[in-house]
Amino acid sequence: MQKFFLSLGIFLVFLTMLLHVPTIAYAQQEIPAHAKWGKVAIIEAQAKYPQAKILDYLHEGSEVNEDSTIEKFKLWLKQSDKEFGLQVRITYVTNTNKVVNIELQEINS
């Protein structure tokens, strides 16, 4: 009888090892809310500076007013032998996402 329980115990241990399927949960990165406005900033920069290559991109934050939001970006561009920063401010109606104004200003640094 003792052999039976020992064999049953060993069998159950092996069975649980075989049935145990490790689950791997990959973290899904959420797309930040400002991502769509970053695309707008890049499109506007490319429209104003079609020969320039965008080297870097930074979201500097959001400024929420009563009915509107301003998304602030800083881009680093290279055109010919000149590198320069470009500040992009996109103002839009918060509830509708309708663009009100887009400002582009070169940064001298």
Side-chain angles (χ1 to χ4, degrees):
M1 192 63 144
Q2 195 175 19
K3 284 185 177 183
F4 172 75
F5 286 118
L6 182 62
S7 298
L8 181 62
I10 292 172
F11 173 74
L12 290 175
V13 168
F14 281 117
L15 182 63
T16 55
M17 286 177 28
L18 291 174
L19 294 178
H20 175 44
V21 178
T23 55
I24 301 173
Y26 294 102
Q28 292 183 351
Q29 287 185 326
E30 290 187 29
I31 298 172
H34 65 268
K36 91 178 206 179
W37 300 113
K39 290 178 185 178
V40 172
I42 289 171
I43 289 168
E44 291 294 319
Q46 289 173 333
K48 186 169 181 177
Y49 302 95
Q51 302 301 319
K53 179 179 178 184
I54 298 174
L55 302 175
D56 204 0
Y57 157 99
L58 173 68
H59 178 246
E60 294 187 304
S62 302
E63 184 179 310
V64 180
N65 299 321
E66 291 178 14
D67 295 333
S68 64
T69 303
I70 301 171
E71 293 289 346
K72 300 179 236 175
F73 298 92
K74 188 181 288 182
L75 284 70
W76 196 253
L77 286 76
K78 181 174 184 174
Q79 185 170 337
S80 301
D81 59 343
K82 175 185 168 187
E83 285 190 19
F84 59 97
L86 183 67
Q87 189 174 45
V88 182
R89 293 177 175 270
I90 303 169
T91 306
Y92 64 95
V93 178
T94 307
N95 292 336
T96 63
N97 286 340
K98 182 180 181 202
V99 175
V100 176
N101 188 30
I102 300 176
E103 297 175 36
L104 287 90
Q105 181 180 1
E106 284 188 33
I107 302 168
N108 297 325
S109 52

